[in-house]
């Protein structure tokens, strides 16, 4: 995958984040698990990129590598560049990287209860950001914490600033996570399954809040999720990941209307729909590959209804299939035309 | 359309009842005014009850032969507690569960054991519901230890192999342990265990919510195929409204321990009349970006009240945009609302709201 550069040609604004050919592996006792195998993607200010994938597709590992919070060992970035606001983060010293993280880019995690410290009040945790990064006094920091809590819609923020995470409901905790991510006015937010643990009615509230804040502050947002519904609701561009690679990228409307990769097509066909009863679901056969033994050729070939000999021997590059669209499938034309 | 190579296709839908089986449509399970309160106590030595968590607070429904009843609701609405009472893992505080006309909620000993054979459960989490120190053969065969009359000892291995085959797993895996399987395969093991005693009813509590999208479809298809093959009736409990619509003939929507609306899948999804159902449906993200602007999303404010201290009157009134004084005073009954009593169409179905009105909540595809 050497085509990080050509995709920039569609007059898009300067990228906020430009990931080029990122590679991450985990060195485990059972062998080397290749979690990310040459991922390239770009996010512009004010834009939402959704990274869609199932468990083990490498979407969260990509996010952790960008954020610089990969557990190492066993995880190692073995190649590529992460260019953020013109600087390759992978060449920065630890201390510089730390200043970028939190202040310029921030992350929202899936499980707010385990991401927040249970023995510190939420006010102390929010305020800590200002104390550490901006050298504020504890009192001033607390004042800012209250403002932030109000901003993300926590009722009676002043009265609740001293409460502990367990005293909040799931939706409120996720709002606190968002407040924490916003605290220092970052330019990029990475949200890893931000609403997966929430009930639908609360999920809708939290997604709306996130989208509204993003618009208002023209932040870049990377939304990592497995939920095709959430993606359709908020994303501008989608990158579909499989076995550590991006197999398809497309503007959201085009991807849903006419997927150019059989995996994407299979995913879209395998979800039951709320708006119609439908017949038996299409099921992608088999299981995602073991990352210590990714099959040769196209990693999706053992599960692909279109697979031919070429798919078993040659890794498909990311073909340019339209403006702003690419697909890593030898038979992307046939897929676009609706063959399965 | 080429299907995945999951389990072999079903031998066509069961036509007519099997010899000796019940007639389709006959009520198998009738639940009446089911209540489960968990006591809240204070003190260690002198424990006294200071209140109760009203997990289930008067639930009634009927499950007919061969059908799937979907129960939807958000966390804490009591749907899992209902499931546990159906399979006698919890004893109801009040109310009846009638299986083929007999109240089974107070049975014990041998009579309970006999009934339990016919009502089996499939659990949500395929990682914790299988004993990691037992082989798959022992897990699926364990029901036969408890009900030896179903399979004599010498025949059990063969039966387990058959079950593995039925759920689409290789019968050679009989001596493997749960950790050697993926999540979807483990859920198949859980389903095989549920089928071992050839039950009439399977209560499935969120059976696919822990699975990835592509694997979820395989398991959903398996459940449908098994229903046809073994003439099963399902109580299918889930928070995912799309999966419930796909599988269910009838749907009950729960909120704070009560059923607030019930009807056929078309009545609930196309013609909801209860504001909670409407809000719930409108909040579900639809996998279609073109529907983004088309939908009138109803955003509820606040959280679900605590079941230890539910609101007076209608349980939904604290989050309802239509609530008036009446809602705080009178609990709305789960009946066909008076305004729709004369209607012949699909809006005529039970809805527990004083001010029920139809409102389209799902963008049409």
């Amino acid at each position: 995958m050497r085509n990080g550069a050509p995709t920039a040609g569609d007059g898009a604004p300067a990228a906020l984040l430009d990931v080029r050919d990122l590679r991450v592996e985990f060195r485990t006792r059972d062998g080397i698990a290749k979690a990310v195998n040459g991922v390239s993607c770009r996010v512009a200010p004010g834009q939402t990129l959704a990274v869609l994938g199932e468990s083990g597709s490498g979407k969260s590992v990509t996010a952790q590598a960008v954020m610089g919070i990969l557990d190492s060992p066993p995880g190692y970035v073995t190649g590529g560049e992460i260019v953020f606001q013109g600087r390759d983060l992978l060449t920065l010293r630890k201390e510089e990287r730390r200043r970028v993280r939190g202040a310029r880019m921030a992350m929202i995690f899936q499980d707010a209860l385990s991401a927040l410290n249970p023995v510190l009040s939420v006010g102390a945790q929010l305020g800590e950001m200002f104390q550490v990064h901006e050298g504020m006094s504890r009192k001033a920091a607390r004042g800012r914490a209250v403002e932030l809590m109000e901003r993300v819609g926590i009722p009676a923020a002043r009265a609740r600033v001293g409460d502990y995470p367990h005293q909040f409901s799931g939706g409120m905790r996720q709002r606190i996570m968002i407040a924490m991510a916003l605290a220092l006015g970052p330019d990029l937010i990475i949200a890893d399954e931000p609403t997966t643990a929430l009930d639908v009615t609360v999920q809708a509230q939290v997604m709306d809040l996130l989208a509204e804040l993003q618009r208002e502050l023209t932040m870049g947002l990377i939304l990592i999720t497995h939920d095709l519904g959430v993606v359709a609701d908020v994303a501008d561009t989608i990158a579909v990941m499989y076995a550590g690679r991006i197999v398809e990228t497309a503007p959201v409307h085009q991807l849903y209307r006419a997927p150019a990769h059989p995996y994407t097509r299979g995913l879209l066909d395998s979800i039951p729909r709320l708006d119609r009863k439908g017949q038996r679901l299409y099921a992608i056969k088999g299981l995602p590959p073991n990352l210590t033994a990714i099959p040769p050729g196209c990693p999706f070939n053992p599960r692909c209804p279109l697979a031919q000999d070429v798919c078993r021997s040659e890794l498909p590059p990311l073909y340019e299939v339209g403006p702003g669209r690419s697909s890593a499938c030898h038979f992307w034309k046939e897929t676009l035309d609706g063959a399965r | 359309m080429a299907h995945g190579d999951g389990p072999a296709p079903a031998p066509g839908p069961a036509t007519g009842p099997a010899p000796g089986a019940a007639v389709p449509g006959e009520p198998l399970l009738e639940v009446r005014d089911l209540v489960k309160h968990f006591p809240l106590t204070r003190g260690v030595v002198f424990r006294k009850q200071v209140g109760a968590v009203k997990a289930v607070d008067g639930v009634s429904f009927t499950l007919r032969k061969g059908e799937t009843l979907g129960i939807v609701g958000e966390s804490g609405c009591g749907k899992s507690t209902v499931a546990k009472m159906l399979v006698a893992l919890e004893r109801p505080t009040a109310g009846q569960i009638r299986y083929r006309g007999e109240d089974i909620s107070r049975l014990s000993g041998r009579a309970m054991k006999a009934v339990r054979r016919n009502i089996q459960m499939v659990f949500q989490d395929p990682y914790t519901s299988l004993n990691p120190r037992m082989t798959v053969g022992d897990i699926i065969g364990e029901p036969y230890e408890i009900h030896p009359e179903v399979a004599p000892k010498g025949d059990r291995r063969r039966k387990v192999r058959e079950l593995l085959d039925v759920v689409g797993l290789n019968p050679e895996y009989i001596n493997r342990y749960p950790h050697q399987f993926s999540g979807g395969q483990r859920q198949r093991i859980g389903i095989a265990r549920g089928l071992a005693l050839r039950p009439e009813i399977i209560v499935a509590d969120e059976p696919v919510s822990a699975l990835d999208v592509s694997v979820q479809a395989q398991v959903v298809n398996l459940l449908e195929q098994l229903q046809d093959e073994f003439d099963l009736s399902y109580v299918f409990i889930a928070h995912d409204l799309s999966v419930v619509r796909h599988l269910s003939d009838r749907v009950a929507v729960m909120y704070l321990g009560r059923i607030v609306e019930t009807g056929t899948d078309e009545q609930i999804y196309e013609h909801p009349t209860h504001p909670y159902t409407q809000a719930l449906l409108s909040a579900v993200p639809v996998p279609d970006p073109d529907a983004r602007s088309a939908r009138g999303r109803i955003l509820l404010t606040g959280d679900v009240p605590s079941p230890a201290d539910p609101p007076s009157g209608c349980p939904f009134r604290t989050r309802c945009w239509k609530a008036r004084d009446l809602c705080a005073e009178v609990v709305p009954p789960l009946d066909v609302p008076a305004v729709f009593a004369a209607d012949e169409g699909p809006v005529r179905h039970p809805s527990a709201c004083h001010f029920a009105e139809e409102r389209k909540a799902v963008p049409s595809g």
Side-chain angles (χ1 to χ4, degrees):
Chain A
M1 233 188 297
R2 275 156 260 98
N3 52 352
T7 42
D10 49 318
L16 176 66
L17 177 78
D18 190 355
V19 177
R20 294 175 196 153
D21 201 26
L22 182 70
R23 287 165 194 276
V24 180
E25 62 185 37
F26 287 86
R27 296 173 191 154
T28 68
R29 261 196 325 198
D30 302 331
I32 293 175
K34 301 201 162 179
V36 179
N37 303 305
V39 160
S40 302
C41 60
R42 300 160 62 90
V43 187
Q47 201 205 13
T48 300
L49 169 73
V51 180
L52 185 75
E54 298 182 274
S55 27
S57 63
K59 56 191 194 305
S60 292
V61 176
T62 304
Q64 287 167 9
V66 170
M67 205 46 205
I69 54 168
L70 200 62
D71 276 334
S72 186
Y76 298 92
V77 176
T78 55
E81 291 166 49
I82 301 170
V83 181
F84 178 67
Q85 294 177 328
R87 284 193 299 178
D88 182 1
L89 297 181
L90 294 175
T91 62
L92 295 187
R93 278 179 298 121
K94 238 181 171 168
E95 201 36 50
E96 291 174 306
R97 187 92 196 255
R98 198 167 113 98
R99 272 201 292 274
V100 172
R101 178 168 60 231
R104 304 267 56 90
M105 62 164 77
M107 189 150 174
I108 298 167
F109 298 90
Q110 169 174 353
D111 183 359
L113 193 55
S114 57
L116 294 170
N117 187 334
V119 297
L120 285 178
S121 70
V122 298
Q125 293 182 62
L126 284 166
E128 192 183 14
M129 312 272 296
F130 300 108
Q131 288 175 265
V132 172
H133 281 273
E134 294 181 5
M136 259 184 205
S137 74
R138 186 186 294 224
K139 195 161 170 227
R142 202 176 172 86
R144 289 293 296 277
V146 173
E147 277 171 37
L148 274 171
M149 286 169 69
E150 281 167 351
R151 182 71 190 274
V152 295
I154 292 174
R158 194 164 295 280
R160 302 209 65 183
V161 68
D163 283 359
Y164 292 85
H166 75 268
Q167 292 171 293
F168 291 87
S169 68
M172 287 298 149
R173 276 197 292 267
Q174 204 51 281
R175 284 171 192 266
I176 290 163
M177 288 280 293
I178 293 174
M180 208 171 224
L182 288 177
L184 302 172
D187 303 304
L188 176 70
I189 292 219
I190 302 176
D192 189 356
E193 304 270 9
T195 59
T196 307
L198 305 175
D199 278 320
V200 271
T201 56
V202 180
Q203 176 178 327
Q205 294 170 4
V206 170
M207 272 330 291
D208 275 24
L209 171 71
L210 199 57
E212 175 201 313
L213 290 167
Q214 185 213 2
R215 239 186 345 263
E216 215 172 292
L217 306 170
T218 50
M219 296 178 295
L221 174 66
I222 299 181
L223 179 70
I224 292 169
T225 182
H226 70 281
D227 188 326
L228 287 146
V230 170
V231 170
D233 251 10
V234 299
D236 298 310
T237 315
I238 300 184
V240 182
M241 282 192 75
Y242 187 80
R245 289 170 202 279
I246 291 179
V247 294
E248 176 167 8
T249 38
V252 61
H253 290 272
Q254 294 180 25
L255 183 119
Y256 281 79
R257 212 171 294 143
H261 194 284
Y263 176 62
T264 316
R265 184 174 199 96
L267 279 184
L268 286 172
D269 287 346
S270 63
I271 38 172
R273 296 287 298 250
L274 189 66
D275 49 4
R276 58 183 100 110
K277 178 89 177 174
Q279 299 303 306
R280 189 149 292 197
L281 297 173
Y282 173 75
I284 301 176
K285 62 183 181 181
L287 300 169
N290 179 345
L291 296 175
T292 58
I294 297 176
C298 170
F300 187 58
N301 85 68
R303 309 178 71 189
C304 182
L306 289 182
Q308 307 284 327
D309 285 345
V310 61
C311 306
R312 286 179 269 274
S313 56
E314 264 176 62
L315 177 67
L318 257 186
Y319 293 103
E320 187 91 39
V321 304
R325 291 199 67 171
S326 49
S327 161
C329 176
H330 292 302
F331 298 99
W332 62 267
K333 269 202 196 86
E334 289 80 350
T335 309
L336 262 183
D337 293 343
R340 189 178 269 138
Chain B
M1 168 156 135
H3 268 290
D5 76 342
T15 43
V23 185
E26 168 205 3
L28 265 190
L29 204 59
E30 290 165 280
V31 172
R32 292 293 169 263
D33 304 313
L34 199 60
V35 173
K36 180 69 192 181
H37 290 182
F38 294 98
L40 287 170
T41 57
R42 186 167 290 161
V44 179
V45 182
F46 302 102
R47 300 188 79 178
K48 54 176 186 183
Q49 189 173 342
V50 293
V53 173
K54 295 170 180 162
V56 176
D57 211 12
V59 159
S60 303
F61 60 81
T62 302
L63 177 71
R64 298 192 185 84
K65 182 81 187 163
E67 79 169 352
T68 301
L69 173 73
I71 301 181
V72 289
E74 299 181 280
S75 26
C77 74
K79 57 191 194 299
S80 291
T81 307
V82 168
K84 285 182 187 155
M85 287 191 281
L86 293 181
V87 295
L89 289 174
E90 292 280 1
R91 269 191 186 263
T93 308
Q96 289 192 329
I97 301 170
R98 290 202 291 267
Y99 169 67
R100 292 183 172 279
E102 181 192 13
D103 184 8
I104 60 169
S105 61
R106 317 267 155 224
L107 292 181
S108 58
R110 197 170 298 166
M112 173 60 93
K113 198 172 142 184
V115 167
R116 270 184 161 165
R117 221 192 97 181
N118 292 313
I119 309 176
Q120 290 287 313
M121 184 145 177
V122 174
F123 296 90
Q124 166 172 10
D125 187 347
Y127 293 86
T128 56
S129 61
L130 303 177
N131 187 337
R133 294 163 64 140
M134 284 167 76
T135 64
V136 167
D138 291 341
I139 289 170
I140 299 175
E142 196 178 22
Y144 299 135
E145 302 280 326
I146 300 154
H147 297 274
E149 74 280 6
V150 182
K153 240 188 176 120
D155 200 28
R156 284 180 197 166
R157 300 286 286 182
R158 189 184 61 79
K159 288 224 166 202
V160 170
R161 277 172 205 274
E162 256 177 40
L163 282 166
L164 282 169
D165 189 47
V166 160
V167 298
L169 290 172
N170 186 341
E172 302 304 310
Y173 293 168
I174 191 164
N175 290 321
R176 294 198 181 182
Y177 288 89
H179 75 265
Q180 293 171 290
F181 294 89
S182 70
Q185 288 173 325
R186 281 184 226 207
Q187 200 54 292
R188 288 174 192 264
I189 296 168
I191 292 170
R193 175 176 60 187
L195 285 175
L197 298 174
R198 289 297 165 89
E200 281 190 289
I201 298 169
I202 288 200
V203 179
D205 188 5
E206 302 271 13
V208 298
S209 55
L211 306 176
D212 269 321
V213 191
S214 71
V215 179
Q216 178 178 309
Q218 295 172 0
V219 174
V220 165
N221 286 345
L222 174 66
L223 287 170
E224 286 185 296
Q225 176 210 326
L226 294 173
Q227 180 164 41
D228 293 346
E229 205 168 322
F230 298 107
D231 201 16
L232 293 166
S233 308
Y234 288 140
V235 177
F236 186 86
I237 293 168
H239 70 280
D240 184 328
L241 289 130
S242 312
V243 175
V244 167
R245 171 157 207 190
H246 182 82
L247 279 171
S248 306
D249 303 301
R250 287 186 305 119
V251 179
V253 181
M254 281 189 75
Y255 186 79
L256 217 59
R258 291 167 196 272
I259 293 177
V260 296
E261 186 167 4
T262 178
T264 64
D265 77 281
E266 191 208 349
Q267 288 170 340
I268 298 295
Y269 286 82
E270 305 290 339
H271 307 277
T273 65
H274 195 284
Y276 176 64
T277 311
Q278 292 160 354
L280 197 61
L281 286 171
S282 82
V284 179
V286 176
D288 180 0
D290 296 326
R292 245 189 239 185
S293 48
R295 59 196 309 189
R297 184 181 266 173
I298 306 164
L299 267 193
L300 290 181
T301 50
D303 289 309
V304 184
S306 161
D309 183 21
S312 65
C314 171
F316 184 58
R317 71 176 168 86
T318 53
R319 301 172 79 195
C320 183
W321 62 97
K322 291 202 274 193
R324 288 183 233 165
D325 291 346
L326 174 67
C327 304
E329 289 153 14
V330 182
V331 180
L334 181 63
D335 286 326
V336 175
V339 276
F340 301 129
D343 204 302
E344 298 279 291
V347 287
R348 193 178 186 279
H349 61 267
S351 172
C353 179
H354 294 302
F355 304 105
E357 58 186 332
E358 192 182 355
R359 173 166 172 173
K360 207 159 173 52
V362 180
S364 42

PDB file of all heavy atoms in Angstrom, chain A residues 3 20 64 71 158 205 254 305 316:
ATOM      1  N   ASN A   3       0.078   4.138  -1.636  1.00  0.00           N
ATOM      2  CA  ASN A   3      -0.636   5.251  -2.258  1.00  0.00           C
ATOM      3  C   ASN A   3      -1.222   6.219  -1.231  1.00  0.00           C
ATOM      4  O   ASN A   3      -2.333   6.668  -1.355  1.00  0.00           O
ATOM      5  CB  ASN A   3      -1.728   4.738  -3.186  1.00  0.00           C
ATOM      6  CG  ASN A   3      -2.616   3.745  -2.478  1.00  0.00           C
ATOM      7  OD1 ASN A   3      -2.309   3.348  -1.352  1.00  0.00           O
ATOM      8  ND2 ASN A   3      -3.704   3.361  -3.107  1.00  0.00           N
ATOM      9  N   ARG A  20       0.199   7.563   7.498  1.00  0.00           N
ATOM     10  CA  ARG A  20       0.723   6.953   6.279  1.00  0.00           C
ATOM     11  C   ARG A  20       1.349   5.608   6.577  1.00  0.00           C
ATOM     12  O   ARG A  20       2.312   5.519   7.332  1.00  0.00           O
ATOM     13  CB  ARG A  20       1.789   7.857   5.652  1.00  0.00           C
ATOM     14  CG  ARG A  20       1.211   9.181   5.160  1.00  0.00           C
ATOM     15  CD  ARG A  20       2.316  10.086   4.661  1.00  0.00           C
ATOM     16  NE  ARG A  20       1.840  11.458   4.558  1.00  0.00           N
ATOM     17  CZ  ARG A  20       2.631  12.517   4.665  1.00  0.00           C
ATOM     18  NH1 ARG A  20       3.913  12.368   4.882  1.00  0.00           N
ATOM     19  NH2 ARG A  20       2.119  13.730   4.554  1.00  0.00           N
ATOM     20  N   GLN A  64      -4.981   3.776  19.234  1.00  0.00           N
ATOM     21  CA  GLN A  64      -4.014   3.844  20.333  1.00  0.00           C
ATOM     22  C   GLN A  64      -2.645   4.279  19.819  1.00  0.00           C
ATOM     23  O   GLN A  64      -1.932   5.024  20.487  1.00  0.00           O
ATOM     24  CB  GLN A  64      -3.914   2.488  21.029  1.00  0.00           C
ATOM     25  CG  GLN A  64      -5.141   2.187  21.878  1.00  0.00           C
ATOM     26  CD  GLN A  64      -5.191   0.737  22.322  1.00  0.00           C
ATOM     27  OE1 GLN A  64      -4.241  -0.014  22.146  1.00  0.00           O
ATOM     28  NE2 GLN A  64      -6.313   0.342  22.900  1.00  0.00           N
ATOM     29  N   ASP A  71       0.150  -0.080  24.526  1.00  0.00           N
ATOM     30  CA  ASP A  71       0.886  -0.802  25.563  1.00  0.00           C
ATOM     31  C   ASP A  71       2.137  -1.394  24.945  1.00  0.00           C
ATOM     32  O   ASP A  71       2.060  -2.240  24.059  1.00  0.00           O
ATOM     33  CB  ASP A  71       0.024  -1.944  26.127  1.00  0.00           C
ATOM     34  CG  ASP A  71      -0.913  -1.439  27.199  1.00  0.00           C
ATOM     35  OD1 ASP A  71      -0.588  -0.419  27.823  1.00  0.00           O
ATOM     36  OD2 ASP A  71      -1.965  -2.061  27.398  1.00  0.00           O
ATOM     37  N   ARG A 158     -22.692  22.447  39.502  1.00  0.00           N
ATOM     38  CA  ARG A 158     -21.984  22.998  40.654  1.00  0.00           C
ATOM     39  C   ARG A 158     -22.136  22.094  41.874  1.00  0.00           C
ATOM     40  O   ARG A 158     -21.184  21.888  42.631  1.00  0.00           O
ATOM     41  CB  ARG A 158     -22.512  24.403  40.959  1.00  0.00           C
ATOM     42  CG  ARG A 158     -21.641  25.216  41.898  1.00  0.00           C
ATOM     43  CD  ARG A 158     -21.998  26.695  41.842  1.00  0.00           C
ATOM     44  NE  ARG A 158     -21.732  27.306  40.548  1.00  0.00           N
ATOM     45  CZ  ARG A 158     -20.521  27.703  40.133  1.00  0.00           C
ATOM     46  NH1 ARG A 158     -19.468  27.554  40.925  1.00  0.00           N
ATOM     47  NH2 ARG A 158     -20.364  28.231  38.946  1.00  0.00           N
ATOM     48  N   GLN A 205     -28.618  10.745  22.768  1.00  0.00           N
ATOM     49  CA  GLN A 205     -28.271  12.009  23.430  1.00  0.00           C
ATOM     50  C   GLN A 205     -26.771  12.279  23.331  1.00  0.00           C
ATOM     51  O   GLN A 205     -26.343  13.388  23.008  1.00  0.00           O
ATOM     52  CB  GLN A 205     -28.638  11.957  24.930  1.00  0.00           C
ATOM     53  CG  GLN A 205     -30.115  11.856  25.236  1.00  0.00           C
ATOM     54  CD  GLN A 205     -30.368  11.554  26.717  1.00  0.00           C
ATOM     55  OE1 GLN A 205     -29.456  11.495  27.519  1.00  0.00           O
ATOM     56  NE2 GLN A 205     -31.619  11.358  27.070  1.00  0.00           N
ATOM     57  N   GLN A 254     -22.047   7.180  -0.478  1.00  0.00           N
ATOM     58  CA  GLN A 254     -21.663   6.247  -1.541  1.00  0.00           C
ATOM     59  C   GLN A 254     -21.408   4.852  -1.006  1.00  0.00           C
ATOM     60  O   GLN A 254     -21.762   3.862  -1.635  1.00  0.00           O
ATOM     61  CB  GLN A 254     -20.421   6.779  -2.255  1.00  0.00           C
ATOM     62  CG  GLN A 254     -20.715   8.062  -3.000  1.00  0.00           C
ATOM     63  CD  GLN A 254     -19.476   8.586  -3.695  1.00  0.00           C
ATOM     64  OE1 GLN A 254     -18.564   7.835  -4.017  1.00  0.00           O
ATOM     65  NE2 GLN A 254     -19.441   9.874  -3.921  1.00  0.00           N
ATOM     66  N   PRO A 305     -17.184 -14.487  -1.282  1.00  0.00           N
ATOM     67  CA  PRO A 305     -17.902 -15.225  -2.321  1.00  0.00           C
ATOM     68  C   PRO A 305     -17.324 -15.006  -3.719  1.00  0.00           C
ATOM     69  O   PRO A 305     -17.627 -15.763  -4.634  1.00  0.00           O
ATOM     70  CB  PRO A 305     -19.323 -14.673  -2.219  1.00  0.00           C
ATOM     71  CG  PRO A 305     -19.196 -13.341  -1.576  1.00  0.00           C
ATOM     72  CD  PRO A 305     -17.991 -13.409  -0.696  1.00  0.00           C
ATOM     73  N   PRO A 316      -4.336  -7.479  -2.816  1.00  0.00           N
ATOM     74  CA  PRO A 316      -4.826  -6.370  -3.646  1.00  0.00           C
ATOM     75  C   PRO A 316      -4.392  -5.025  -3.074  1.00  0.00           C
ATOM     76  O   PRO A 316      -4.480  -4.816  -1.871  1.00  0.00           O
ATOM     77  CB  PRO A 316      -6.347  -6.520  -3.590  1.00  0.00           C
ATOM     78  CG  PRO A 316      -6.619  -7.325  -2.369  1.00  0.00           C
ATOM     79  CD  PRO A 316      -5.421  -8.170  -2.111  1.00  0.00           C
TER      80      PRO A 316
END
